[in-house]
């Protein structure tokens, strides 16, 4: 697995033996517990003219709100979750979704990389964009099983989020 930090702040991973045997793990470190009321999906924009839906999974309400606002301004329909399990339940029902955008550190039994791996198993063609504020959260051995997955480092703004969402969707369309 080769890791490259691009100018736009994203990490890109390509399969190789560079990190074979590396002990890097995705951190499930101390995270605040989620409120059960936060685990329901919230659709930010229900405009039927919106072409593509992004599932956003972020436990920090303020970060989730800003990310959803940016995605909404970019023209995406956003379905929000504060933890992985309800997002997985939603994605398991087969709705039309263009992208999964998830934080790596999430409360509960499933972190963002676990969610991504399960979603990749269920929906192999669904593009996935991971985000984290700590590069040590990135587990190379896990990402080898998520080829084509982009990582957006926090903090990020509109232009970086837009570039990575677009890159993820273009890559996803190319692989179909």
């Amino acid at each position: 697995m080769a890791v490259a930090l691009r100018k736009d702040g994203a990490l890109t991973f390509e399969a190789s033996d560079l990190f074979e045997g590396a002990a890097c793990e995705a951190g499930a470190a101390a995270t605040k517990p989620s409120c059960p009321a936060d685990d329901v999906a919230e659709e930010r924009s229900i405009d039927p003219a919106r072409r593509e839906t992004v599932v956003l999974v972020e436990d920090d309400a303020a970060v989730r709100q800003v990310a959803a606002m940016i995605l909404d301004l970019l023209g995406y329909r956003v379905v929000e979750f504060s933890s992985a399990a309800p997002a997985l339940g939603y994605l398991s029902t087969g709705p039309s979704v263009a992208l999964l955008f998830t934080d790596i550190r999430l409360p509960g039994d499933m972190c963002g990389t676990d969610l991504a791996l399960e979603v990749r198993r269920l929906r192999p063609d669904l593009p996935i964009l991971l985000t984290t504020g700590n590069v040590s959260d990135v587990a190379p051995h896990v990402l080898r099983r998520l080829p084509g997955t982009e990582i957006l480092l926090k903090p990020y703004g509109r232009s970086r989020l837009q570039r990575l969402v677009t890159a993820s969707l273009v890559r996803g369309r190319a692989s179909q």
Side-chain angles (χ1 to χ4, degrees):
M1 162 124 11
V3 181
L5 179 59
R6 298 185 336 205
K7 278 184 168 180
D8 63 8
L11 290 175
T12 303
F13 296 85
E14 297 298 330
S16 78
D17 293 329
L18 180 64
F19 289 101
E20 196 62 41
C24 180
E25 290 288 333
T31 56
K32 63 181 181 196
S34 69
C35 172
D38 288 342
D39 285 338
V40 294
E42 178 185 336
E43 294 188 17
R44 280 223 169 254
S45 179
I46 309 175
D47 181 357
R50 303 289 172 119
R51 290 188 357 229
E52 298 176 302
T53 298
V54 174
V55 171
L56 170 63
V57 187
E58 170 63 62
D59 63 310
D60 185 312
V63 173
R64 188 173 62 247
Q65 181 180 15
V66 170
M69 180 185 67
I70 293 170
L71 291 166
D72 187 59
L73 289 171
L74 294 172
Y76 297 98
R77 179 176 168 262
V78 182
V79 180
E80 301 175 41
F81 296 91
S82 63
S83 62
L88 181 59
Y90 175 78
L91 288 163
S92 298
T93 65
S96 177
V97 173
L99 176 72
L100 169 62
F101 177 36
T102 182
D103 191 8
I104 290 177
R105 287 190 181 195
L106 294 170
D109 294 337
M110 183 180 283
C111 69
T113 52
D114 293 339
L115 172 62
L117 287 166
E118 186 61 21
V119 167
R120 183 57 52 88
R121 187 184 69 73
L122 293 172
R123 300 175 76 161
D125 295 331
L126 182 65
I128 298 169
L129 175 59
L130 298 171
T131 188
T132 185
N134 189 341
V135 73
S136 68
D137 288 343
V138 179
H141 69 278
V142 172
L143 292 175
R144 269 197 295 275
R145 295 175 18 214
L146 293 167
T149 299
E150 299 274 355
I151 302 220
L152 178 61
L153 292 177
K154 294 177 186 177
Y156 55 82
R158 178 182 174 155
S159 63
R160 283 184 38 223
L161 179 57
Q162 182 175 9
R163 279 194 301 271
L164 270 285
V165 166
T166 301
S168 296
L169 291 173
V170 167
R171 181 177 279 176
R173 288 184 195 114
S175 70
Q176 293 177 355

